[in-house]
Amino acid sequence: MTPILVNHSDAEICQLLCQELTAAGYVVSLTEEKPAAVDFDKILQPTLLISEWNPQDSSWNSSEWQARKANPAGPFIFHVGLTPPGVSAQYTTALNCGVDDVLTTPINLEELQARVWAGIRVLKLRQELWEQRQLLETELSEAEAYVRSLLPDDLTEKIPITARFIPSRLLGGDCYDYYWLDPDYLAIYLLDVSGHGLGSALLSTSVLNVLRSQSLPNVNFYRPEKVLDALNETFQMNDQNEKYFTIWYGVYNRANRQLLYASAGHPPAVLVTTHVNQTQTIEPLKTSGLPVGMLPDTKYRWQRCHIPASSRLYLFSDGVYEIQQSDSSIMGLDDFIDILAQHTADKDIDEILHQVSARTQSRTFSDDLSLLEVSLE
């Protein structure tokens, strides 16, 4: 049962409250401490507080009391403020000071019972909401761990690949993979499902499993445009709760250093080549095409690219650059490409994310982001 804590400078009012509420079956306690000084953390459960409230008392305006009332991690407090006649006109002031309801003295006992019952109901609803939120966050955390477990480890042999996946607070739909189709051909892709939440994550992992198992029927997985055609036929948004996804898919032949690629509404991969004279060439790699799932008759195109020595290929989702910067402007793709151009091969991929994070207002990302660095030396 929700405990009730009573505090008032008038002993008769305290006695009346204790008698009436105890008779009604509530667990009532008296405290001589002003509510702002009470250690509610020791109570460890939602508490209904009935206390004297005076707008002239500066303790109600303390930032500490405001923070205690607003703290979602602490025990919930529903505060009924008792005021002399006429003071209730300052109801707005009382609310701003953390009072949840106001009751004037002398106390109307029927009104007291109604206000207490309503306050306890609010506390119960807040507690249930908090418990549901904790359960949801646990489930989302488990879902994120599952998605992360499906992502491949960094490659260290033949062609080194380093990848980073940073989920936002909301579970999203980023996913990527890379694997050898045969000893010379490496398939690599990155996709981003629209929206957030479990539905987006489920679709992204479904696509990953289909591609990893190569279970698309009659598809040549060495041909990027054929893969995207088959994905578009299989994952129409009408059958996926109106969700679609963007994707960049490439196949690299390490024997002749040829890269075949196709994209579907996804940010371009960026090829950074450092020449002998230390100059750099930046080449965005992208083909035209709607995101997968939007229209059933979409056909995708492929392109071929020769990869010079001393090159690095970057794949990423738009969450890495569509961020609000410290000056409130939105960072764009060109700004992110500038960061990639300044990145040198001797630095870790985390330095790129550090440069991006340094530009943000919150130093956190509002969307999932994925970043892959493929070393094509």
Side-chain angles (χ1 to χ4, degrees), residues 38 185 202 220 222 260 293 316 335 355:
V38 174
Y185 285 84
L202 288 175
N220 183 349
Y222 293 79
L260 275 62
F316 45 88
D335 296 319
Q355 293 295 324

Side-chain angles (χ1 to χ4, degrees), residues 347-359:
K347 293 182 179 179
D348 191 89
I349 189 176
D350 291 321
E351 178 62 24
I352 298 173
L353 298 176
H354 175 74
Q355 293 295 324
V356 173
S357 180
R359 298 192 181 198

Side-chain angles (χ1 to χ4, degrees), residues 184-199:
D184 286 329
Y185 285 84
L186 175 70
I188 179 171
Y189 68 87
L190 191 151
L191 66 93
D192 184 3
V193 178
S194 61
H196 294 92
L198 189 58

Side-chain angles (χ1 to χ4, degrees), residues 40-268:
F40 287 93
D41 292 334
K42 292 183 178 179
I43 301 176
L44 298 177
Q45 58 182 311
T47 302
L48 189 135
L49 167 66
I50 303 176
S51 76
E52 186 176 14
W53 182 80
N54 188 332
Q56 306 304 320
D57 188 343
S58 61
S59 65
W60 295 116
N61 295 315
S62 69
S63 58
E64 182 181 352
W65 174 250
Q66 302 291 343
R68 181 178 298 173
K69 283 281 288 161
N71 182 13
F76 298 124
I77 306 165
F78 189 92
H79 183 195
V80 178
L82 299 179
T83 67
V87 178
S88 59
Q90 301 189 38
Y91 189 74
T92 301
T93 303
L95 292 178
N96 289 333
C97 290
V99 174
D100 299 292
D101 203 352
V102 171
L103 191 62
T104 59
T105 55
I107 298 173
N108 181 303
L109 297 182
E110 289 186 1
E111 186 178 3
L112 170 67
Q113 295 288 354
R115 299 293 178 88
V116 168
W117 180 81
I120 290 177
R121 184 176 60 176
V122 169
L123 285 172
K124 181 180 179 182
L125 291 173
R126 289 187 65 188
Q127 181 71 16
E128 290 176 351
L129 180 62
W130 181 83
E131 291 172 354
Q132 289 297 320
R133 179 177 179 180
Q134 293 298 109
L135 179 62
L136 178 61
E137 289 183 353
T138 298
E139 291 178 347
L140 290 177
S141 179
E142 291 174 353
E144 182 222 315
Y146 172 70
V147 172
R148 191 182 291 277
S149 71
L150 294 178
L151 300 178
D153 295 329
D154 290 350
L155 283 184
T156 56
E157 299 179 355
K158 295 183 180 179
I159 297 176
I161 300 179
T162 304
R164 294 292 182 269
F165 169 67
I166 301 179
S168 65
R169 192 178 66 86
L170 297 173
L171 186 67
D174 277 17
C175 217
Y176 57 81
D177 203 2
Y178 34 84
Y179 46 84
W180 293 96
L181 296 172
D182 65 35
D184 286 329
Y185 285 84
L186 175 70
I188 179 171
Y189 68 87
L190 191 151
L191 66 93
D192 184 3
V193 178
S194 61
H196 294 92
L198 189 58
S200 297
L202 288 175
L203 178 55
S204 68
T205 55
S206 295
V207 177
L208 181 144
N209 288 326
V210 164
L211 291 177
R212 183 172 289 177
S213 63
Q214 299 185 29
S215 58
L216 292 170
N218 303 317
V219 173
N220 183 349
F221 284 86
Y222 293 79
R223 295 285 300 274
E225 82 286 5
K226 299 298 183 183
V227 173
L228 298 194
D229 286 343
L231 288 175
N232 190 61
E233 182 178 347
T234 304
F235 294 99
Q236 277 297 298
M237 61 186 296
N238 293 337
D239 301 320
Q240 306 297 330
N241 294 318
E242 301 304 313
K243 292 190 179 299
Y244 58 87
F245 61 91
T246 66
I247 184 171
W248 191 99
Y249 182 98
V251 176
Y252 178 66
N253 183 340
R254 71 188 185 104
N256 61 18
R257 301 187 67 86
Q258 296 290 318
L259 173 67
L260 275 62
Y261 63 91
S263 59
H266 199 80

